[in-house]
Amino acid sequence: EDEDEANGLEAWERAYTEDRSWESLQEDESGLLRPIDTTAIHHAQYRRRLRATARIQKGLIRYLYIVVDLSKAASERDFRPSRMAVIAKQVELFIREFFDQNPLSHVGLVTTKDGVANCLTDLGGSPESHIKALMGKLECSGDASLQNALELVHSNLNQIPSYGHREVLILYSALSTCDPGDLMETIQKCKKSKIRCSVIGLAAEMFICKHLCQETGGTYSVALDESHFKELILEHSPPPPAIAEYATANLIKMGFPQRAAEGSVAICTCHEEAKTGGGYTCPRCKVRVCELPTECRVCGLTLISSPHLARSYHHLFPIVPFAEISPSQNDPNHSFPNTCFGCQQSLLSQGNKAELSVSCPKCKQQFCLDCDMYIHESLHNCPGCESFR
Amino acid sequence: MGTNVGNVVIAKATDSTLWKSLLWRIIEELYPSNKISFHVVEYFMDSKVMTIAIYGKRLTQKSQFIMRIVVDTYALAERHKRRNKKMKFKIEEVTVYFPYDNIYPEQYAYMIELKRTLDAKGHCLLEMPTGTGKTIALLSLITSYTLSKPQSPIKLIYCTRTVHEMEKTLAELRLLHDYMVKCIGPSAKMLALGLSSRKNLCVNNKVLAAENRDSVDAGCRKLTASWVRALAAENPDVPSCEFFEQYERAGSAAVLPPGVYTLQDLRTFGKEKGWCPYFLARHMVQFANVVVYSYQYLLDPKVAAIISKEMQKESVVVFDEAHNIDNVCIEALSVSVRRQTVDGARRNINRMRQEIDKFKATDAGRLRAEYNRLVEGLALRGDLPAADGWLANPALPDDILKEAVPGNIRKAEHFIQVLRRLVQYLEGRLETENVEKENPVSFVFSILNHAGIDQKTLKFCYDRLHSLMMTLEITDTDEFLHVQTICDFATLVGTYARGFSIIIEPFDERMPHIPDPVLQLCCHDASLAIKPVFERFQSVVITSGTLSPIDLYPRLLNFNPVVSRSFTMSLTRDCICPMVLTRGSDQLPVSTKFDMRSDLGVVRNYGRLLLEMASVVPDGIVCFFVSYSYMDGIVNSWNENGILKEIMQHKLVFIETQDVVETTLALDNYRKACDCGRGAIFFSVARGKVAEGIDFDRHYGRLVIMFGVPFQYTLSKILLARLEYLRETFQIKEGDFLTFDALRQAAQCVGRVIRSKADYGMMIFADKRYSRHDKRSKLPGWILSHLRDAHLNLSTDMALHIAREFLRKMAQPYDKTGGTGKKTLLSQEDLDKIVLEGSMNDMLY
């Protein structure tokens, strides 16, 4: 009956024969197997990202709620050890990265399971408290409810001042949503309140999520595996383009508190306990707070330090994308040096063949691909331009 | 209205014209040279208001600015339309107008083949997957072809299966028409219209109140028949239809101006002018350049003779979605007589008898006049008023039309006697206890022996009845359907000696205890009904997404195509994922083979398959079963062993029933559940209404599971008779035909999920028989080319793994044009290059 047993191969074997997956492996000098150099591909991806995010105005003060789906689907083991564990790990990374990039912003955590949504932590500026709260609540059961989560987030975000950018990032494992009412109405409500909703799915594309993101101007993506998931979630750390219509210029009152003298004793407002040394004093009401940035519990003043502002600053003046130089262009008799200006590594690969490199359009210095990524994503300064100053 | 804030201009406009003038005024003010082209760089939508930023291309660095304009969404659509280039290219000597910015390579190839057919004035058979834009390719090429040859205008007759498809086709045509008029000017104007039954076209509310098609027809006739109108002219109390009266009064002035008319447009136009849209459309059909109507208007001889007889020979007939065309042809010529039919016919005859008596007493002259007319021959039938022509002879050879009606049925009462005897005879035959099968020749002979009606008399029954009803001024024709069926039967059986058989079954085989005798005249030869179409028209195009194997259709329909080709779909990504699932989660084979279908293990395996899939597939899943009874059975057992309940935790379940209203409601709720994220499963039946006409595109169908191979009910006497005929006449083996038929149904079912290239979906063929070469190879090429060897023999867990991977892959963003590699979307420039180089072939194959 089965006449297709040709070549003595089983069907699954044939799939691997077709894939030729072993060809994407390479043996290095010491005989170890490692994947073929894919930096060029990664670099192309990164450049696409760079172009796409080159925008005019950005929302620097963000109020972000992260909705974590802890429904039964989050216990699936197609991500190792389970979707839930992967989510928790990446959320931790994300929160740290987020505060690093957006020191003026606030994050809150919401979970949804058993058809309801719970507020895990309120909006706040301390990464540790969020991470701790999330790690303590990692149990999953029941169905997820998109509507309940959105309603909860909506009621919380509605109160924040108009200069803040309202955002929701939903990490969705489930493939359905169990709602008490019409989800479409809730989506419209979010849209009216200018809440930007983004979703990262862990299983497959869902229409309602796509619709939600389209309506509210967010992004929708689905993770292929853990590393892809990490990539996707980190894409949300730089501030999104501000919606021009809402981005009215606003003056915001901010306080720059001084660090309290070592040894001075005061009761901090965050933990309501007496502490010796450390902490900061609100310049308006002189109350003590433990961490920056935060909002003064007494007078409601936004308290930050100047490095925070400086770190947010680079989003407004991003470094221009570097131009790519194909290997044929930089022939040896060209005036360019053959080393990267950043790391001083040779730009020539084995066999004196020039590799792909980039150059800054302003200072015309050449960089290798690794430095290119480092400069744009972490350093936010061009070493070439800086050294000419 | 506009405020100038530095370099940022904010303006508000509520309608498109205002917006446009405003935009240009701003541009003029700022840049008097007016040589700036703009394009939209970003926009944001907020319910009705759209903010767009436009970016002036030719502005100098210094004066670059971002302008924000708040516009109505409509205005943006307008703007987009204007910005679009659209396409115009040459295929050999014909300039083709194509109302989109890009064309798929397969559309282009399709057009080339189509043009060859038109050049050769022959027929063709073209298979192209759904979602690749067959309709617009067809319309675009044929209308452009007509335009390029003004000396010999070609009429396009486009046949669709449903009203919905008709409207879609006309909408596409309008887009094309607008574009052509814009390019060429008024000389490109044409008249295109859809034609449907009175039910869809009538604007008279009183008539429309009737619930089904036949009653609407009868309701219309009650108001518009010539004698009713004559009465109404004398007596204002007799109701008449004002729309029809006004249409008649307008006379030759009642014409449609050139343009494209959907059914809705026709109704609106009719209401506006006060003319009856139905009769107007029927009148305009002979002048129109493009006519879109249902298959029946060409294939059913009863309807074809009145609607389509005026069509010129220089026409191109297109049968769209024609994979079932052989069945449509057969149904058009098949009649079944049941006990109710016989009883109803007897009632009808009695009533006619009474009418005749009444007329004899009051108006004997009328009956005599009819007699005289019949003596002169049936051909004179044509002089009856136009509105009264409603039914005609089923596919009679021309010479018979010229003959006079035989003497023994010319007199009304004699004809009634003949009908009585015929009905009596049929009733007698229905009383059999065994299944009987007979050929028409012996059946006619036995009618002659037992009822004394000869073959010639039988042949004329239909026309004679028609004439009599006209004479008796019967308007409630929906009451007389039974006697019409009997006469239809008599005429067919008297006309054809070959290609038919008469089968009498005393009961339904599936319910042997309930007597339900039925006498069926079954047509076995699809070529009989379609033969006149092939002979009369210059070109006939048969096209569908599933015509595989393509060499079988010419044999079934008995014609010689000049072109028969199957196109594949050029895809930027593998957006369909067909799988053959042969084993369940316990590694035991699954099948709906007769000996296995009730096996509990198979039932459970199918259930587990659906359950597992429901947990990994988002939004909508469609399941097709081989028959209603099988679906009932399996759903019942799933309910009993709790699988159904588990499935319901993931998704809601909806079921197709034989009741149309119920099914529509279920479909509606199914869509709602898919929209709102709850997810849903639709249980449906292959060969059912849903499988034929409903699309499950995008999130409405991410996965379709075909449970089993949808073979026809092989013990059916009708099918057996047809198979025998096919073997004897066309040398088509029974097995081949059955497999072909089952596989085309399966392909049709799974094809429901993918309706465009941007869409994606999985298809699971859950039966071990699909892994066999003879079955699989009959699937259409566009499915086969995606069916990887590794997916031919899967078990549930393997399929699950593949599904997960596939859905994740498909959720990733992709480049629609196919990037730099193989082009899947051709722009004007690409096409120009191809035409220059003549390198189409290496792109496609």
Side-chain angles (χ1 to χ4, degrees):
Chain A
E1 217 176 282
D2 298 315
E3 67 265 44
D4 293 311
E5 298 302 315
N7 309 337
L9 287 177
E10 293 284 341
W12 65 268
E13 286 176 303
R14 259 172 281 152
Y16 286 100
T17 323
E18 281 160 20
D19 270 358
R20 312 178 85 78
S21 52
W22 57 88
E23 285 185 2
S24 58
L25 285 178
Q26 210 178 29
E27 214 171 308
D28 68 359
E29 308 87 78
S30 48
L32 292 171
L33 283 180
R34 55 176 53 172
I36 281 186
D37 190 26
T38 47
T39 42
I41 302 164
H42 284 309
H43 192 250
Q45 277 173 352
Y46 141 78
R47 294 196 72 84
R48 211 176 306 135
R49 231 169 29 234
L50 203 64
R51 258 200 305 283
T53 52
R55 293 279 181 141
I56 319 121
Q57 196 177 1
K58 302 213 168 192
L60 292 187
I61 303 181
R62 305 165 67 186
Y63 290 83
L64 173 73
Y65 264 106
I66 303 174
V67 176
V68 182
D69 164 15
L70 290 179
S71 65
K72 223 166 40 200
S75 61
E76 291 254 351
R77 299 187 173 274
D78 51 351
F79 284 54
R80 297 287 164 189
S82 75
R83 287 184 189 176
M84 185 173 55
V86 169
I87 290 175
K89 193 170 134 202
Q90 300 303 336
V91 165
E92 183 186 345
L93 264 175
F94 171 73
I95 290 180
R96 289 186 201 286
E97 172 75 16
F98 180 84
F99 281 116
D100 192 44
Q101 294 223 23
N102 312 277
L104 305 182
S105 301
H106 300 261
V107 168
L109 283 177
V110 168
T111 58
T112 169
K113 60 177 170 184
D114 296 327
V116 291
N118 289 311
C119 197
L120 210 59
T121 55
D122 287 324
L123 284 171
S126 147
E128 296 308 327
S129 63
H130 294 304
I131 292 163
K132 221 173 104 190
L134 180 66
M135 293 309 168
K137 282 277 177 177
L138 283 183
E139 283 154 11
C140 50
S141 61
D143 293 318
S145 170
L146 213 48
Q147 194 189 12
N148 285 334
L150 283 178
E151 287 283 351
L152 180 68
V153 167
H154 177 261
S155 64
N156 287 354
L157 279 182
N158 230 0
Q159 300 153 4
I160 64 157
S162 65
Y163 58 80
H165 283 258
R166 304 158 180 195
E167 288 173 54
V168 187
L169 175 62
I170 301 167
L171 308 173
Y172 212 64
S173 300
L175 283 174
S176 63
T177 157
C178 187
D179 297 326
D182 188 1
L183 184 51
M184 296 290 175
E185 273 172 26
T186 312
I187 292 176
Q188 290 309 320
K189 234 162 81 184
C190 289
K191 195 175 151 186
K192 225 179 246 159
S193 311
K194 290 149 197 161
I195 299 175
R196 183 182 192 268
C197 308
S198 298
V199 181
I200 300 178
L202 278 95
E205 184 184 73
M206 263 179 81
F207 169 77
I208 193 71
C209 295
K210 205 173 178 181
H211 179 75
L212 169 71
C213 298
Q214 260 169 8
E215 285 289 300
T216 58
T219 56
Y220 181 39
S221 41
V222 175
L224 290 170
D225 48 36
E226 187 172 346
S227 62
H228 189 225
F229 180 66
K230 183 179 168 188
E231 210 172 283
L232 291 176
I233 194 169
L234 289 184
E235 260 172 37
H236 289 272
S237 55
I243 297 155
E245 201 188 330
Y246 311 136
T248 45
N250 251 323
L251 289 176
I252 307 162
K253 243 182 208 169
M254 284 184 183
F256 296 86
Q258 272 189 332
R259 193 166 168 82
E262 293 296 322
S264 66
V265 182
I267 294 174
C268 88
T269 46
C270 335
H271 307 93
E272 289 168 7
E273 55 191 45
K275 282 194 173 169
T276 321
Y280 302 85
T281 321
C282 170
R284 192 152 70 182
C285 57
K286 309 291 180 213
V287 85
R288 184 76 69 92
V289 291
C290 290
E291 276 181 332
L292 289 184
T294 182
E295 214 163 72
C296 174
R297 295 255 175 144
V298 176
C299 63
L301 188 67
T302 311
L303 301 177
I304 58 161
S305 68
S306 64
H308 287 138
L309 262 190
R311 248 191 290 156
S312 304
Y313 188 69
H314 75 261
H315 291 300
L316 294 176
F317 301 96
I319 305 181
V320 280
F322 289 173
E324 252 175 84
I325 307 168
S326 59
S328 58
Q329 249 175 302
N330 52 359
D331 46 308
N333 43 9
H334 208 274
S335 58
F336 283 128
N338 282 334
T339 52
C340 165
F341 189 79
C343 56
Q344 305 299 323
Q345 297 272 342
S346 170
L347 285 174
L348 301 172
S349 57
Q350 299 97 340
N352 261 10
K353 227 181 123 266
E355 267 192 9
L356 197 66
S357 61
V358 292
S359 84
C360 169
K362 276 189 189 148
C363 62
K364 307 286 177 212
Q365 293 293 352
Q366 261 182 293
F367 295 97
C368 67
L369 299 186
D370 288 336
C371 283
D372 180 18
M373 273 163 114
Y374 174 68
I375 290 167
H376 280 96
E377 296 196 330
S378 310
L379 195 61
H380 306 297
N381 275 318
C382 169
C385 299
E386 292 295 317
S387 62
F388 281 123
R389 280 210 177 147
Chain B
M1 215 164 46
T3 45
N4 200 326
V5 190
N7 266 343
V8 180
V9 182
I10 302 164
K12 212 167 198 164
T14 45
D15 76 62
S16 68
T17 41
L18 195 61
W19 173 75
K20 255 186 270 179
S21 64
L22 189 69
L23 175 61
W24 287 112
R25 223 182 60 213
I26 295 164
I27 293 168
E28 262 164 31
E29 266 174 34
L30 291 170
Y31 302 96
S33 65
N34 201 11
K35 275 186 183 165
I36 310 150
S37 63
F38 283 84
H39 66 259
V40 179
V41 288
E42 63 167 291
Y43 61 88
F44 177 75
M45 251 181 75
D46 176 24
S47 64
K48 286 206 79 177
V49 185
M50 181 172 282
T51 308
I52 59 170
I54 47 178
Y55 173 77
K57 228 189 208 163
R58 301 191 39 185
L59 307 182
T60 56
Q61 183 82 37
K62 211 174 164 190
S63 58
Q64 268 187 8
F65 71 107
I66 299 294
M67 197 158 72
R68 264 199 283 140
I69 295 177
V70 184
V71 289
D72 201 349
T73 40
Y74 177 67
L76 191 96
E78 282 281 310
R79 168 103 192 137
H80 264 286
K81 249 189 226 165
R82 211 147 40 91
R83 205 161 50 88
N84 286 352
K85 290 197 298 280
K86 304 202 175 160
M87 300 182 81
K88 188 170 123 183
F89 50 88
K90 277 188 114 80
I91 294 182
E92 287 155 36
E93 76 286 358
V94 176
T95 312
V96 179
Y97 296 88
F98 193 74
Y100 293 100
D101 291 345
N102 295 294
I103 187 169
Y104 296 138
E106 58 269 34
Q107 278 178 315
Y108 185 69
Y110 188 90
M111 285 186 182
I112 292 176
E113 296 294 347
L114 201 57
K115 166 153 191 311
R116 285 188 193 143
T117 314
L118 295 186
D119 283 340
K121 297 195 190 326
H123 311 311
C124 72
L125 203 60
L126 298 171
E127 179 187 58
M128 187 155 90
T130 44
T132 46
K134 273 192 299 287
T135 309
I136 191 63
L138 269 167
L139 292 173
S140 173
L141 184 95
I142 296 174
T143 47
S144 302
Y145 191 87
T146 318
L147 269 183
S148 71
K149 299 195 168 41
Q151 65 284 0
S152 57
I154 299 175
K155 189 185 193 112
L156 170 59
I157 304 173
Y158 197 99
C159 300
T160 63
R161 288 180 314 174
T162 60
V163 174
H164 178 68
E165 278 168 19
M166 188 188 295
E167 297 281 55
K168 265 202 309 206
T169 308
L170 283 163
E172 289 262 37
L173 188 61
R174 170 166 319 160
L175 195 67
L176 174 68
H177 183 242
D178 290 348
Y179 174 60
M180 284 170 109
V181 170
K182 212 180 86 196
C183 285
I184 311 174
S187 63
K189 283 213 164 158
M190 57 183 174
L191 177 62
L193 58 96
L195 180 64
S196 183
S197 64
R198 288 179 174 87
K199 174 117 177 76
N200 294 319
L201 277 175
C202 184
V203 286
N204 190 329
N205 291 331
K206 270 176 273 167
V207 177
L208 267 181
E211 72 272 26
N212 61 36
R213 209 188 65 197
D214 291 319
S215 343
V216 173
D217 285 359
C220 179
R221 250 176 239 121
K222 270 177 208 154
L223 298 178
T224 58
S226 56
W227 56 88
V228 175
R229 293 180 56 223
L231 268 181
E234 290 161 15
N235 179 2
D237 291 341
V238 176
S240 65
C241 176
E242 49 178 321
F243 293 103
F244 185 74
E245 295 302 322
Q246 287 191 36
Y247 165 73
E248 280 287 296
R249 242 175 274 141
S252 58
V255 287
L256 275 172
V260 178
Y261 296 88
T262 60
L263 299 182
Q264 176 62 42
D265 296 337
L266 282 171
R267 283 197 299 268
T268 320
F269 183 82
K271 261 193 195 144
E272 210 172 89
K273 293 269 182 182
W275 298 338
C276 172
Y278 175 72
F279 285 100
L280 180 66
R282 265 192 39 191
H283 175 65
M284 293 312 293
V285 158
Q286 42 187 310
F287 308 109
N289 307 81
V290 182
V291 183
V292 184
Y293 56 35
S294 128
Y295 278 27
Q296 270 70 27
Y297 287 111
L298 270 185
L299 292 181
D300 190 339
K302 286 171 285 197
V303 196
I306 35 164
I307 303 286
S308 308
K309 68 169 177 241
E310 304 286 334
M311 301 293 187
Q312 65 204 50
K313 184 182 172 3
E314 292 77 26
S315 299
V316 182
V317 178
V318 176
F319 290 103
D320 197 4
E321 301 287 337
H323 45 271
N324 269 341
I325 193 166
D326 54 326
N327 292 340
V328 178
C329 292
I330 283 169
E331 271 158 34
L333 290 183
S334 297
V335 185
S336 54
V337 176
R338 288 170 184 278
R339 180 135 299 144
Q340 300 94 291
T341 326
V342 172
D343 295 343
R346 188 164 284 141
R347 274 199 306 278
N348 294 155
I349 291 168
N350 286 338
R351 206 173 126 211
M352 281 197 283
R353 175 82 237 172
Q354 287 162 13
E355 294 282 325
I356 290 170
D357 289 343
K358 208 160 76 193
F359 269 106
K360 261 196 189 149
T362 56
D363 191 5
R366 180 182 278 274
L367 288 170
R368 207 169 308 122
E370 188 206 16
Y371 178 79
N372 291 336
R373 209 169 59 229
L374 291 173
V375 174
E376 285 163 40
L378 267 179
L380 288 180
R381 197 164 41 96
D383 60 14
L384 287 165
D388 298 343
W390 41 277
L391 294 167
N393 204 311
L396 282 187
D398 280 346
D399 52 318
I400 287 179
L401 281 176
K402 293 184 191 93
E403 280 178 65
V405 172
N408 57 350
I409 54 170
R410 275 182 214 162
K411 274 233 156 93
E413 54 270 34
H414 293 167
F415 178 58
I416 292 291
Q417 283 306 322
V418 167
L419 280 184
R420 275 238 164 97
R421 289 206 303 275
L422 181 64
V423 170
Q424 184 80 41
Y425 173 76
L426 291 179
E427 191 175 23
R429 292 299 301 261
L430 277 178
E431 253 147 41
T432 173
E433 281 181 5
N434 304 315
V435 177
E436 291 176 31
K437 185 176 158 241
E438 222 170 324
N439 65 8
V441 180
S442 71
F443 192 78
V444 168
F445 186 70
S446 93
I447 291 183
L448 182 63
N449 278 348
H450 291 92
I453 308 171
D454 64 358
Q455 182 225 353
K456 196 173 171 198
T457 313
L458 284 175
K459 206 151 58 177
F460 278 93
C461 274
Y462 204 82
D463 283 302
R464 185 62 191 91
L465 175 75
H466 167 226
S467 168
L468 181 66
M469 285 174 71
M470 211 61 85
T471 313
L472 296 178
E473 300 183 346
I474 289 168
T475 49
D476 47 350
T477 43
D478 52 333
E479 300 287 322
F480 282 80
L481 288 176
H482 297 301
V483 74
Q484 283 173 32
T485 310
I486 298 282
C487 289
D488 197 2
F489 173 83
T491 306
L492 282 173
V493 88
T495 311
Y496 294 105
R498 273 192 60 77
F500 284 82
S501 59
I502 289 120
I503 294 168
I504 309 168
E505 285 175 289
F507 46 76
D508 192 318
E509 296 230 344
R510 277 158 270 191
M511 284 171 284
H513 308 297
I514 305 160
D516 178 26
V518 56
L519 184 150
Q520 297 165 94
L521 175 72
C522 318
C523 174
H524 302 314
D525 194 342
S527 64
L528 289 176
I530 205 169
K531 197 166 148 234
V533 180
F534 282 130
E535 279 171 359
R536 254 185 64 202
F537 298 109
Q538 185 177 309
S539 295
V540 176
V541 179
I542 293 178
T543 186
S544 172
T546 43
L547 286 177
S548 299
I550 206 158
D551 53 325
L552 195 59
Y553 282 87
R555 279 157 79 192
L556 282 177
L557 300 176
N558 197 17
F559 76 111
N560 283 322
V562 288
V563 174
S564 77
R565 267 204 55 188
S566 177
F567 299 89
T568 55
M569 182 155 33
S570 62
L571 292 171
T572 38
R573 49 176 191 170
D574 291 330
C575 68
I576 60 172
C577 178
M579 294 180 246
V580 174
L581 184 128
T582 53
R583 288 160 290 142
S585 39
D586 55 3
Q587 305 302 323
L588 289 174
V590 290
S591 176
T592 55
K593 247 161 98 171
F594 193 71
D595 50 346
M596 281 176 76
R597 61 166 61 178
S598 47
D599 182 343
L600 272 180
V602 172
V603 169
R604 198 180 48 240
N605 269 334
Y606 275 148
R608 300 296 313 176
L609 167 67
L610 183 58
L611 175 61
E612 303 271 353
M613 282 296 164
S615 67
V616 300
V617 177
D619 302 328
I621 298 182
V622 194
C623 301
F624 286 99
F625 297 89
V626 289
S627 68
Y628 280 110
S629 58
Y630 180 66
M631 178 168 79
D632 287 349
I634 199 164
V635 172
N636 247 333
S637 24
W638 285 348
N639 188 29
E640 276 160 22
N641 59 21
I643 290 182
L644 197 63
K645 207 171 159 195
E646 281 179 71
I647 292 172
M648 300 267 262
Q649 283 181 349
H650 294 286
K651 288 179 194 303
L652 305 181
V653 173
F654 298 92
I655 297 186
E656 176 188 7
T657 61
Q658 267 144 329
D659 184 336
V660 180
V661 183
E662 226 170 63
T663 305
T664 317
L665 196 70
L667 268 172
D668 215 38
N669 285 322
Y670 169 79
R671 293 221 171 87
K672 262 189 213 151
C674 291
D675 278 336
C676 78
R678 181 67 187 82
I681 300 178
F682 198 85
F683 287 167
S684 174
V685 169
R687 294 169 204 281
K689 270 259 178 294
V690 170
E692 277 299 315
I694 310 291
D695 287 349
F696 292 99
D697 54 340
R698 298 174 298 132
H699 62 286
Y700 297 128
R702 285 294 180 217
L703 165 70
V704 54
I705 307 179
M706 180 77 236
F707 288 108
V709 187
F711 282 114
Q712 283 189 54
Y713 178 59
T714 37
L715 296 178
S716 145
K717 296 286 172 308
I718 302 167
L719 181 65
L720 289 177
R722 184 170 179 210
L723 289 176
E724 195 184 319
Y725 180 81
L726 284 176
R727 193 188 55 226
E728 282 168 5
T729 321
F730 300 120
Q731 287 79 48
I732 298 171
K733 273 193 248 155
E734 282 103 332
D736 279 354
F737 181 78
L738 283 175
T739 321
F740 149 75
D741 186 67
L743 268 291
R744 80 171 157 186
Q745 285 306 329
Q748 189 57 31
C749 292
V750 299
R752 298 281 106 201
V753 289
I754 186 134
R755 278 296 179 251
S756 86
K757 288 190 178 182
D759 200 0
Y760 64 89
M762 291 182 293
M763 307 156 171
I764 296 182
F765 297 93
D767 193 306
K768 65 169 182 174
R769 288 173 289 177
Y770 283 112
S771 69
R772 286 166 58 171
H773 181 75
D774 64 319
K775 303 274 186 308
R776 202 183 349 121
S777 62
K778 290 196 171 60
L779 286 170
W782 58 276
I783 295 182
L784 268 187
S785 62
H786 286 90
L787 186 58
R788 295 168 49 192
D789 279 355
H791 294 179
L792 281 181
N793 189 11
L794 299 176
S795 64
T796 305
D797 42 337
M798 289 153 89
L800 207 63
H801 179 71
I802 294 168
R804 275 207 186 103
E805 297 282 299
F806 175 78
L807 287 167
R808 287 215 174 95
K809 211 169 83 199
M810 284 301 121
Q812 305 308 316
Y814 73 106
D815 185 6
K816 284 197 174 76
T817 55
T820 47
K822 199 178 156 196
K823 283 259 179 192
T824 54
L825 206 58
L826 304 177
S827 66
Q828 180 87 47
E829 292 82 52
D830 295 330
L831 259 193
D832 292 345
K833 221 160 72 194
I834 292 166
V835 174
L836 269 176
E837 294 165 6
S839 63
M840 192 65 204
N841 286 352
D842 45 78
M843 294 206 48
L844 269 175
Y845 314 114

